[in-house]
Amino acid sequence: MLFLTLLAMTMIVPFLNVLAVSFSTDLESYENTVKLFPKTLSLSGYANLFRRVAILTPLLNNAFVTVIGTLSHVLLCAMAGFVLIRNTFPGKGLVVLLVTIPMMIPFQMIIIPVYVTMKKIGLIDTLWSLILIDIVSTFSIFLMKNYFEGIPRSLEESAIIEGANEWIVFSKVYLPLANPGIATIAIFQFVSRWNHFLPAVLFINSTKKYTLQIALKSLVVSSELTSTTQSVANNARMAGIVVSVIPLLIVYIFAQRYFTTGIMVGSVKE
């Protein structure tokens, strides 16, 4: 118990320090001490973050990429998982093999081919390039496949008797019963896309199309922001980190009740 408490403190204390510094005054934020509470409550860090650093545009870009990318990923992977449970699917073994292969190849090994492909189809320096990255994944497809296999076929047969086609069976029977599995892959995708850094560095050139992580990188480590009269105080930098974390906390709070069920049921096939 003591070990778990100490382990939790190593995660909680840094976050409390970031939160406290973000609500401190400009001068107090430079103090080289660990803070759990701000000495003087101030919103100047957040005001500077949105007024001087103009974090709103990267924040909106990040939200667009994350929401559209996550919805597309969930829909396509659910559809693929539904197709793979069909007993009469021709060439099913080969398709399963082809779906599995990408899981064995890390993204770093295919950076150059992916970049060349994006350039040839004209998506370099567009937010759509970030949406297409990881638009499907082997993990999500097989999680949904295994979850769908746990749904009684009698429900599908009843719907077919009533005149339902494949799309109706998928959208009206399987999807509503797969909420835990959908929530699981949605959480994974939301966190992954919200924190995308390498793809944004590769594909995005215009500052107007920067996503949040690129803007925070420039905010924290850029020499231009720390060596001129336009330097940004530590409270604004910590405010940027807090702003980037809040959406993840909100999504997890609302979806966590499905998370454990989805992992246990969808990822293990009996």
Side-chain angles (χ1 to χ4, degrees), residues 137-163:
S137 73
T138 302
F139 170 81
S140 298
I141 291 174
F142 278 104
L143 189 146
M144 293 306 301
K145 171 182 176 292
N146 292 340
Y147 199 95
F148 287 151
E149 286 177 339
I151 296 175
R153 282 299 181 91
S154 58
L155 297 176
E156 177 183 347
E157 293 169 357
S158 299
I160 293 175
I161 292 174
E162 294 295 328

Side-chain angles (χ1 to χ4, degrees), residues 84-99:
L84 292 180
I85 68 170
R86 318 316 291 170
N87 294 329
T88 57
F89 182 67
K92 180 177 177 180
L94 177 61
V95 172
V96 171
L97 176 63
L98 294 176
V99 170

